[in-house]
């Protein structure tokens, strides 16, 4: 079944479709839908990026040490909080001294995933993270980043010893195990985020459709139909809350695991 083209995707293609199509043709890349060479998930990624730029530009002008506003306090809670589950808190626990230098990268990935997860709550939008290539792209960035952090921190040879195990005698066994284990993180990060967001969106869309169908059917039953009038309003709210929970949880997991990976890559003892 062909993917339904979102209104925002049509708008993005109207603005950027022709140059993108020309660029892809120059690279000899075949486009499945030449009318809309930019698919939904890419258009939604651009929307998330634009929203993030506007929001953080607005927030930057409102930052205050003496009189922080509600939005600033909420954002600071994501960095550090009394429960110790903020990005900065987790980094300090896992990576130790100097962990703040990893905060911009890992915090940005976490915010991108969070905003991508939740943007489908806006009517007419969809979560780009429900498309497998988007979580895979984020996982590749994380994979390259934490390995690069390990190389910078220990040097190429020092970081390479991490894959050889505690002794040279075990190196022939440990090397392939460590390589496979690291590569498996790509699959783990991708599948965990992608599957959960697909299921969450399907549940929301399915039950919304069912409740609307029930309302239309019951509307033909006079008094009984009036009694069921709140149903299409209340039931979707349950799945909105569920989608919010899944979106926040998966963003937290996708932030926590890269923090753990970075902490392991820069740890002094291997």
């Amino acid at each position: 079944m062909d993917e339904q083209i979102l209104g925002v995707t049509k708008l993005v293609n109207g603005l950027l479709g022709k140059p993108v199509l020309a660029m892809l043709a120059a690279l000899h890349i075949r486009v499945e839908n030449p009318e809309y060479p930019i698919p939904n998930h890419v258009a939604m990624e651009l929307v998330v990026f634009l929203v993030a730029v506007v929001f953080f530009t607005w927030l930057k002008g409102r930052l205050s040490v003496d009189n922080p506003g509600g939005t600033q306090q909420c954002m600071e809670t994501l960095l550090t909080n009394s429960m110790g589950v903020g990005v900065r808190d987790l980094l300090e626990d896992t990576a130790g001294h100097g962990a703040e230098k990893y905060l911009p990268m890992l915090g940005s990935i976490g915010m991108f995933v969070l905003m991508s997860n939740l943007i489908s709550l806006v009517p007419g939008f969809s979560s780009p993270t429900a498309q497998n290539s988007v979580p895979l792209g984020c996982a590749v960035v994380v994979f390259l980043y934490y390995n690069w952090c390990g190389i910078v921190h220990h040097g190429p040879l020092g970081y390479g010893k991490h894959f050889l195990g505690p002794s040279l005698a075990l190196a022939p066994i440990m090397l392939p195990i460590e390589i496979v284990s690291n590569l498996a993180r790509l699959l783990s990060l991708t599948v965990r985020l992608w599957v959960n967001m697909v299921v969450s969106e399907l549940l929301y869309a399915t039950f919304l459709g069912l409740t609307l169908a029930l309302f239309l059917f019951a509307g033909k039953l006079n008094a009984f139909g009036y009694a069921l009038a709140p149903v299409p309003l209340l039931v979707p709210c349950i799945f909105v809350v569920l989608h919010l929970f899944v979106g926040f949880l998966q963003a937290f997991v996708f932030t926590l695991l890269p923090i753990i990976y970075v902490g392991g890559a820069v740890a002094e003892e291997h």
Side-chain angles (χ1 to χ4, degrees):
M1 184 175 64
D2 293 336
E3 183 182 28
Q4 181 181 0
I5 304 299
L6 301 176
V8 66
T9 304
K10 295 178 180 179
L11 176 61
V12 171
N13 277 278
L15 296 172
L16 304 174
K18 290 184 178 179
V20 168
L21 190 61
M23 181 184 68
L24 294 176
L27 296 173
H28 304 287
I29 299 176
R30 182 177 176 275
V31 179
E32 293 183 3
N33 189 349
E35 185 178 1
Y36 300 108
I38 302 175
N40 284 334
H41 64 279
V42 175
M44 290 309 307
E45 285 183 283
L46 293 175
V47 171
V48 169
F49 175 75
L50 180 61
V51 170
V53 169
V54 172
F55 173 73
F56 286 108
T57 301
W58 169 81
L59 180 62
K60 181 180 179 181
R62 297 172 62 89
L63 294 178
S64 172
V65 177
D66 300 324
N67 187 27
T71 305
Q72 179 180 339
Q73 294 182 49
C74 290
M75 297 306 296
E76 288 177 349
T77 301
L78 297 178
L79 293 177
T80 180
N81 52 64
S82 58
M83 296 181 292
V85 293
V87 179
R88 179 180 294 168
D89 300 327
L90 295 171
L91 269 172
E92 290 177 351
D93 289 341
T94 57
H97 180 70
E100 285 194 359
K101 62 185 177 182
Y102 308 117
L103 180 59
M105 183 65 173
L106 298 179
S108 297
I109 293 174
M111 285 303 304
F112 172 78
V113 172
L114 177 62
M115 296 178 71
S116 296
N117 290 350
L118 300 183
I119 199 168
S120 60
L121 293 173
V122 179
F125 287 178
S126 65
S127 297
T129 43
Q131 174 69 30
N132 55 11
S133 59
V134 176
L136 176 60
C138 294
V140 169
V141 170
V142 168
F143 178 82
L144 295 176
Y145 181 70
Y146 80 77
N147 280 291
W148 173 251
C149 290
I151 293 172
V152 170
H153 187 80
H154 297 287
L157 293 178
Y159 183 63
K161 293 180 181 178
H162 167 68
F163 296 90
L164 301 179
S167 66
L168 291 177
L170 294 175
I173 299 175
M174 294 300 299
L175 180 60
I177 293 177
E178 288 290 339
I179 291 175
V180 171
S181 176
N182 272 268
L183 292 175
R185 293 174 178 177
L186 284 170
L187 181 62
S188 175
L189 285 171
T190 301
V191 173
R192 180 183 291 106
L193 177 59
W194 169 50
V195 171
N196 278 282
M197 293 312 302
V198 167
V199 171
S200 181
E201 285 208 336
L202 283 177
L203 281 174
Y204 175 68
T206 299
F207 279 90
L208 178 62
L210 288 174
T211 50
L212 288 175
L214 176 62
F215 176 70
L216 293 175
F217 173 75
K220 302 176 182 179
L221 304 179
N222 300 324
F224 182 63
Y226 289 106
L228 291 178
V231 171
L233 298 176
L234 297 177
V235 174
C237 289
I238 298 173
F239 291 93
V240 167
V241 173
L242 176 62
H243 189 70
L244 278 169
F245 173 74
V246 172
F248 273 99
L249 178 61
Q250 292 307 312
F252 174 73
V253 172
F254 206 95
T255 306
L256 174 62
L257 291 178
I259 289 174
I260 294 174
Y261 299 157
V262 168
V266 302
E268 294 300 331
E269 296 181 4
H270 294 280

